[in-house]
Amino acid sequence: MIKISFNKKTLKQVENIAKAIALPPQKRKRLLRRVAANIATASRQNITRQQTPEGSKWAKRQKRRTKRKPKMLLGLRQHIIVSGSSDENHADITLKRGNYRVHAGVVGSRHSKGSTVTAKADRDHYKKNQPEGCSRAQAKTLKALGYEIYARRMNPNAPRGKKRVPTVKFMVENFTTEEVQGAFGYLRDRGLMPPHKKSWQIKTPSRRFLGADRERTTKAWGRAFQSLNYGRQ
């Protein structure tokens, strides 16, 4: 959240200090809300342009498996509002709750300031969402790691006791979910795969978006005063 307030540092740029102080409370409130609305618009544009209020590009997202690179935080744009709690001496630009699992303000704060969150593995969730049987991706991993089964499962005429790496097609068509889990457990026990992580850290770099640069802020104040001079309510 950011505040738009009456203070010398801000109003020096628009040559209307005395005029602002002399305004009736309701006009002061309208003035501030117009400035805040302009800055809120600038904040939404920062997200669209993927940049900070000063115009610097955001830190890039982590490498993705796909070539597609969607823009970040676009869903936050519609949640940037001028708070209804603003009075004649200040106006708040904040984020309303939205449809996120947590308040949109929390999401915005984490990205604006940067954060490090410790995530813990949910084994029950993993087991519940484990696909039935063996997926093609799992089969490819097992094949690449050299997982072997008795050859007679694939060819009844193969020598007894001989083992071989099954084909991807055979694993997808014949392996059960339990067998897949057992196969990966077998490979982990022998150090051929890293152990399950119980927790890990998710680092989010700072990607500030609320606010505007000095030039945009100066124009916002100038337009707000101009609208009052022309009698806009």
Side-chain angles (χ1 to χ4, degrees), residues 13-14 38 214-224:
Q13 304 166 3
V14 292
N38 195 308
R214 181 170 295 183
E215 182 180 356
R216 178 70 182 258
T217 303
T218 300
K219 288 181 179 179
W221 280 102
R223 288 170 182 169

Side-chain angles (χ1 to χ4, degrees), residues 67-162:
K67 293 183 179 180
R68 184 170 169 267
K69 297 179 180 178
K71 289 187 176 182
M72 298 171 280
L73 305 181
L74 294 182
L76 288 180
R77 292 178 300 183
Q78 60 186 319
H79 302 307
I80 298 174
I81 60 170
V82 179
S83 174
S85 63
S86 304
D87 58 33
E88 69 272 12
N89 291 315
H90 79 278
D92 297 332
I93 301 171
T94 185
L95 286 90
K96 62 183 180 180
R97 194 188 194 298
N99 297 321
Y100 293 87
R101 285 184 294 176
V102 295
H103 197 293
V106 175
V107 178
S109 177
R110 284 180 179 173
H111 283 274
S112 291
K113 299 175 182 177
S115 66
T116 300
V117 179
T118 299
K120 294 184 178 180
D122 185 349
R123 301 303 304 159
D124 291 336
H125 175 79
Y126 171 78
K127 290 178 181 178
K128 188 185 296 183
N129 290 276
Q130 177 77 0
E132 289 293 327
C134 181
S135 69
R136 189 169 181 81
Q138 290 172 328
K140 285 184 175 180
T141 301
L142 290 173
K143 183 177 175 65
L145 293 173
Y147 178 71
E148 294 181 329
I149 63 173
Y150 286 109
R152 280 202 164 194
R153 282 190 64 182
M154 294 172 284
N155 179 10
N157 298 320
R160 187 181 297 275
K162 184 178 180 181

